[in-house]
Amino acid sequence: AQSVSQHNHHVILSEAASLELGCNYSYGGTVNLFWYVQYPGQHLQLLLKYFSGDPLVKGIKGFEAEFIKSKFSFNLRKPSVQWSDTAEYFCAVSWDYGGATNKLIFGTGTLLAVQP
Amino acid sequence: EAGVTQFPSHSVIEKGQTVTLRCDPISGHDNLYWYRRVMGKEIKFLLHFVKESKQDESGMPNNRFLAERTGGTYSTLKVQPAELEDSGVYFCASSQDPREKTSYNEQFFGPGTRLTVL
Protein backbone atom coordinates (compact mmCIF):
# COMPACT_ATOMS: atom_id res chain seq x y z
CA ALA A 1 0.00 0.00 0.00
CA GLN A 2 1.07 3.56 -0.57
CA SER A 3 2.58 5.15 2.51
CA VAL A 4 4.63 8.14 3.57
CA SER A 5 7.09 8.11 6.47
CA GLN A 6 8.33 11.05 8.46
CA HIS A 7 11.23 10.06 10.65
CA ASN A 8 11.13 12.81 13.21
CA HIS A 9 7.99 13.16 15.32
CA HIS A 10 9.25 15.89 17.64
CA VAL A 11 12.15 18.23 16.96
CA ILE A 12 13.41 20.93 19.29
CA LEU A 13 15.90 23.46 17.97
CA SER A 14 17.35 26.75 19.05
CA GLU A 15 16.95 29.79 16.83
CA ALA A 16 19.50 29.96 14.00
CA ALA A 17 20.00 26.20 14.03
CA SER A 18 19.66 24.34 10.74
CA LEU A 19 16.68 22.09 10.10
CA GLU A 20 16.26 18.94 8.10
CA LEU A 21 13.08 16.87 8.28
CA GLY A 22 13.07 13.51 6.59
CA CYS A 23 10.31 12.17 4.35
CA ASN A 24 10.23 8.90 2.44
CA TYR A 25 7.45 7.33 0.41
CA SER A 26 6.74 3.69 -0.23
CA TYR A 27 7.39 3.12 -3.91
CA GLY A 28 8.01 4.79 -7.22
CA GLY A 29 6.00 5.79 -10.20
CA THR A 30 5.13 9.35 -11.04
CA VAL A 31 4.71 11.30 -7.86
CA ASN A 32 3.83 14.80 -6.80
CA LEU A 33 5.40 15.81 -3.51
CA PHE A 34 4.37 18.38 -0.95
CA TRP A 35 5.23 19.82 2.40
CA TYR A 36 2.39 21.41 4.33
CA VAL A 37 2.72 23.39 7.54
CA GLN A 38 0.20 24.06 10.29
CA TYR A 39 1.08 26.96 12.58
CA PRO A 40 -0.63 27.01 15.97
CA GLY A 41 -4.30 27.88 15.55
CA GLN A 42 -4.08 28.14 11.78
CA HIS A 43 -5.04 26.14 8.70
CA LEU A 44 -2.84 23.68 6.92
CA GLN A 45 -0.99 25.61 4.26
CA LEU A 46 1.31 24.63 1.44
CA LEU A 47 4.99 25.24 2.11
CA LEU A 48 6.32 23.91 -1.17
CA LYS A 49 5.65 21.34 -3.86
CA TYR A 50 7.45 19.28 -6.46
CA PHE A 51 5.66 18.39 -9.65
CA SER A 52 8.46 18.04 -12.21
CA GLY A 53 11.74 19.63 -13.29
CA ASP A 54 14.46 20.79 -10.91
CA PRO A 55 14.48 18.39 -7.94
CA LEU A 56 15.54 21.18 -5.61
CA VAL A 57 12.43 23.11 -4.77
CA LYS A 58 12.26 26.41 -2.95
CA GLY A 59 9.21 27.35 -0.95
CA ILE A 60 7.99 30.13 1.26
CA LYS A 61 9.81 31.48 4.31
CA GLY A 62 13.23 30.21 3.24
CA PHE A 63 12.33 26.52 3.14
CA GLU A 64 13.55 24.18 0.46
CA ALA A 65 13.24 20.48 -0.28
CA GLU A 66 15.15 18.05 -2.45
CA PHE A 67 13.53 15.20 -4.34
CA ILE A 68 15.87 12.21 -4.61
CA LYS A 69 14.06 9.71 -6.79
CA SER A 70 16.49 6.84 -6.16
CA LYS A 71 15.91 7.15 -2.43
CA PHE A 72 12.16 7.86 -2.61
CA SER A 73 12.83 10.88 -0.44
CA PHE A 74 11.75 14.50 -0.23
CA ASN A 75 13.51 16.03 2.76
CA LEU A 76 12.70 19.51 3.97
CA ARG A 77 15.49 21.91 4.91
CA LYS A 78 16.01 25.39 6.26
CA PRO A 79 19.49 26.75 6.99
CA SER A 80 18.47 28.91 9.96
CA VAL A 81 15.19 28.50 11.82
CA GLN A 82 13.29 31.21 13.64
CA TRP A 83 10.96 31.07 16.60
CA SER A 84 8.08 31.72 14.17
CA ASP A 85 8.81 28.39 12.44
CA THR A 86 7.33 26.59 15.43
CA ALA A 87 4.60 24.48 13.83
CA GLU A 88 3.66 21.00 12.70
CA TYR A 89 5.06 19.94 9.33
CA PHE A 90 3.48 17.34 7.08
CA CYS A 91 4.96 15.59 4.10
CA ALA A 92 2.38 14.47 1.53
CA VAL A 93 2.56 12.52 -1.71
CA SER A 94 0.17 12.10 -4.58
CA TRP A 95 0.73 9.26 -7.03
CA ASP A 96 -0.16 10.15 -10.59
CA TYR A 97 -1.79 7.33 -12.52
CA GLY A 98 -3.17 9.62 -15.16
CA GLY A 99 -6.56 9.74 -13.52
CA ALA A 100 -8.44 12.66 -12.16
CA THR A 101 -7.93 11.88 -8.48
CA ASN A 102 -5.04 13.53 -6.71
CA LYS A 103 -5.66 12.38 -3.18
CA LEU A 104 -2.83 13.13 -0.82
CA ILE A 105 -1.15 10.48 1.32
CA PHE A 106 0.29 12.15 4.41
CA GLY A 107 3.05 11.31 6.80
CA THR A 108 2.36 11.41 10.54
CA GLY A 109 3.67 14.95 10.91
CA THR A 110 6.64 16.47 12.73
CA LEU A 111 6.17 18.90 15.60
CA LEU A 112 8.91 21.50 15.49
CA ALA A 113 9.54 23.70 18.50
CA VAL A 114 12.05 26.50 18.09
CA GLN A 115 13.39 27.96 21.30
CA PRO A 116 14.32 31.66 21.30
CA GLU B 1 -11.07 35.70 -1.65
CA ALA B 2 -12.64 33.53 1.02
CA GLY B 3 -10.87 30.29 1.82
CA VAL B 4 -12.31 26.90 2.57
CA THR B 5 -14.68 27.08 5.52
CA GLN B 6 -15.93 24.32 7.75
CA PHE B 7 -18.73 24.16 10.27
CA PRO B 8 -18.82 23.53 13.14
CA SER B 9 -15.31 24.08 14.41
CA HIS B 10 -15.94 21.70 17.32
CA SER B 11 -18.57 19.09 18.00
CA VAL B 12 -18.98 16.95 21.08
CA ILE B 13 -21.56 14.17 20.86
CA GLU B 14 -22.35 10.92 22.59
CA LYS B 15 -21.84 7.53 21.08
CA GLY B 16 -24.82 6.58 18.94
CA GLN B 17 -25.76 10.13 18.01
CA THR B 18 -25.62 11.66 14.56
CA VAL B 19 -23.39 14.52 13.48
CA THR B 20 -23.24 16.40 10.21
CA LEU B 21 -20.16 18.32 9.20
CA ARG B 22 -20.23 20.95 6.51
CA CYS B 23 -17.58 22.20 4.12
CA ASP B 24 -17.76 25.20 1.81
CA PRO B 25 -14.99 25.08 -0.79
CA ILE B 26 -13.38 28.04 -2.48
CA SER B 27 -15.76 29.42 -5.07
CA GLY B 28 -15.14 27.88 -8.49
CA HIS B 29 -13.27 24.85 -7.17
CA ASP B 30 -14.80 21.73 -8.67
CA ASN B 31 -12.76 19.35 -6.55
CA LEU B 32 -13.55 18.79 -2.92
CA TYR B 33 -11.75 16.36 -0.61
CA TRP B 34 -12.44 15.11 2.89
CA TYR B 35 -9.62 13.96 5.15
CA ARG B 36 -9.51 12.88 8.78
CA ARG B 37 -6.83 12.91 11.43
CA VAL B 38 -7.27 10.63 14.39
CA MET B 39 -5.17 11.74 17.35
CA GLY B 40 -1.53 10.78 17.00
CA LYS B 41 -1.96 9.39 13.52
CA GLU B 42 -1.54 10.69 10.02
CA ILE B 43 -4.07 12.71 8.05
CA LYS B 44 -6.01 10.17 6.01
CA PHE B 45 -7.96 10.62 2.79
CA LEU B 46 -11.68 9.86 2.99
CA LEU B 47 -13.14 10.81 -0.35
CA HIS B 48 -13.04 13.12 -3.35
CA PHE B 49 -15.84 14.88 -5.21
CA VAL B 50 -15.61 16.32 -8.67
CA LYS B 51 -18.53 18.70 -8.73
CA GLU B 52 -21.42 16.63 -7.36
CA SER B 53 -19.97 13.23 -8.29
CA LYS B 54 -17.97 10.98 -6.01
CA GLN B 55 -14.70 10.42 -7.84
CA ASP B 56 -13.05 8.29 -5.18
CA GLU B 57 -14.50 7.13 -1.89
CA SER B 58 -11.92 4.48 -1.15
CA GLY B 59 -11.00 6.04 2.18
CA MET B 60 -14.45 6.03 3.75
CA PRO B 61 -14.16 3.85 6.87
CA ASN B 62 -17.58 2.20 6.74
CA ASN B 63 -21.22 2.74 5.88
CA ARG B 64 -21.83 4.90 8.93
CA PHE B 65 -20.26 7.71 6.96
CA LEU B 66 -22.24 9.44 4.22
CA ALA B 67 -20.91 12.33 2.16
CA GLU B 68 -22.95 14.45 -0.19
CA ARG B 69 -22.35 17.40 -2.43
CA THR B 70 -25.67 18.32 -3.94
CA GLY B 71 -25.38 20.95 -6.65
CA GLY B 72 -21.63 20.72 -6.65
CA THR B 73 -21.12 23.48 -4.12
CA TYR B 74 -20.86 22.77 -0.40
CA SER B 75 -20.49 19.27 0.97
CA THR B 76 -21.73 17.52 4.07
CA LEU B 77 -20.28 14.53 5.87
CA LYS B 78 -22.71 12.71 8.13
CA VAL B 79 -21.71 10.18 10.72
CA GLN B 80 -24.59 8.00 11.89
CA PRO B 81 -24.40 6.49 14.43
CA ALA B 82 -21.16 7.90 15.77
CA GLU B 83 -18.68 5.60 17.52
CA LEU B 84 -15.80 6.43 19.85
CA GLU B 85 -13.20 5.72 17.16
CA ASP B 86 -14.73 8.42 14.94
CA SER B 87 -13.20 11.12 17.14
CA GLY B 88 -10.64 13.24 15.36
CA VAL B 89 -10.23 16.29 13.19
CA TYR B 90 -12.04 16.28 9.87
CA PHE B 91 -10.45 18.40 7.19
CA CYS B 92 -11.92 19.55 3.94
CA ALA B 93 -9.85 20.74 1.00
CA SER B 94 -10.66 22.07 -2.44
CA SER B 95 -8.78 22.54 -5.67
CA GLN B 96 -9.40 23.55 -9.23
CA ASP B 97 -8.82 20.89 -11.86
CA PRO B 98 -6.13 18.29 -11.03
CA ARG B 99 -6.28 16.93 -14.57
CA GLU B 100 -4.53 20.05 -15.82
CA LYS B 101 -1.03 18.73 -16.34
CA THR B 102 0.82 21.96 -16.96
CA SER B 103 0.68 22.85 -13.33
CA TYR B 104 -0.43 21.02 -10.28
CA ASN B 105 -3.43 22.49 -8.59
CA GLU B 106 -2.88 22.97 -4.91
CA GLN B 107 -5.37 21.67 -2.42
CA PHE B 108 -6.46 24.43 -0.07
CA PHE B 109 -7.44 23.21 3.36
CA GLY B 110 -10.10 24.40 5.74
CA PRO B 111 -9.54 24.82 9.48
CA GLY B 112 -11.03 21.43 10.27
CA THR B 113 -13.84 20.25 12.53
CA ARG B 114 -12.76 18.64 15.78
CA LEU B 115 -15.20 15.83 16.55
CA THR B 116 -15.27 14.26 19.99
CA VAL B 117 -17.45 11.21 20.56
CA LEU B 118 -18.00 10.38 24.23
Side-chain angles (χ1 to χ4, degrees):
Chain A
Q2 298 159 337
S3 64
V4 177
S5 300
Q6 289 183 241
H7 316 300
N8 318 98
H9 297 295
H10 291 92
V11 174
I12 302 173
L13 295 173
S14 298
E15 277 193 313
S18 63
L19 171 72
E20 180 159 3
L21 301 182
C23 174
N24 287 85
Y25 56 95
S26 53
Y27 53 63
T30 303
V31 292
N32 301 307
L33 303 158
F34 308 85
W35 277 95
Y36 279 86
V37 61
Q38 188 170 27
Y39 297 102
Q42 295 189 26
H43 301 194
L44 270 167
Q45 55 186 284
L46 185 67
L47 202 53
L48 48 78
K49 66 188 179 191
Y50 171 82
F51 183 61
S52 63
D54 188 344
L56 185 61
V57 178
K58 296 195 183 297
I60 61 172
K61 305 187 180 185
F63 286 90
E64 65 178 33
E66 185 176 11
F67 171 43
I68 303 179
K69 191 173 182 179
S70 61
K71 295 185 178 180
F72 305 117
S73 71
F74 190 55
N75 291 356
L76 181 71
R77 299 194 293 249
K78 185 170 183 178
S80 175
V81 295
Q82 301 173 309
W83 177 79
S84 57
D85 293 325
T86 295
E88 190 162 18
Y89 293 80
F90 298 89
C91 180
V93 180
S94 172
W95 275 264
D96 188 348
Y97 298 116
T101 298
N102 292 98
K103 65 182 179 185
L104 297 174
I105 308 296
F106 283 87
T108 51
T110 297
L111 272 170
L112 171 64
V114 180
Q115 297 175 331
Chain B
E1 177 185 295
V4 177
T5 58
Q6 293 186 245
F7 182 82
S9 56
H10 293 85
S11 180
V12 181
I13 60 172
E14 293 192 350
K15 176 182 170 180
Q17 289 187 319
T18 298
V19 64
T20 300
L21 314 180
R22 173 173 169 143
C23 168
D24 286 76
I26 292 171
S27 178
H29 282 191
D30 289 340
N31 297 278
L32 187 149
Y33 307 80
W34 283 99
Y35 295 86
R36 176 175 75 171
R37 189 183 194 193
V38 172
M39 185 177 292
K41 302 266 181 93
E42 70 272 27
I43 300 169
K44 280 196 170 179
F45 168 81
L46 297 178
L47 88 159
H48 169 212
F49 284 99
V50 177
K51 297 184 180 178
E52 67 276 6
S53 299
K54 291 175 185 174
Q55 181 72 31
D56 181 352
E57 51 185 327
S58 62
M60 293 288 263
N62 50 61
N63 59 11
R64 295 186 293 102
F65 289 75
L66 175 65
E68 294 180 322
R69 192 182 182 196
T70 307
T73 55
Y74 70 91
S75 174
T76 57
L77 180 65
K78 181 191 286 188
V79 185
Q80 180 182 29
E83 297 289 343
L84 299 179
E85 64 265 25
D86 301 332
S87 295
V89 181
Y90 289 77
F91 292 101
C92 175
S94 71
S95 71
Q96 292 178 318
D97 186 351
R99 292 166 296 177
E100 180 58 54
K101 295 299 185 181
T102 56
S103 65
Y104 187 86
N105 287 285
E106 175 186 347
Q107 291 185 27
F108 294 85
F109 281 79
T113 293
R114 183 173 296 278
L115 173 64
T116 302
V117 182
L118 301 175

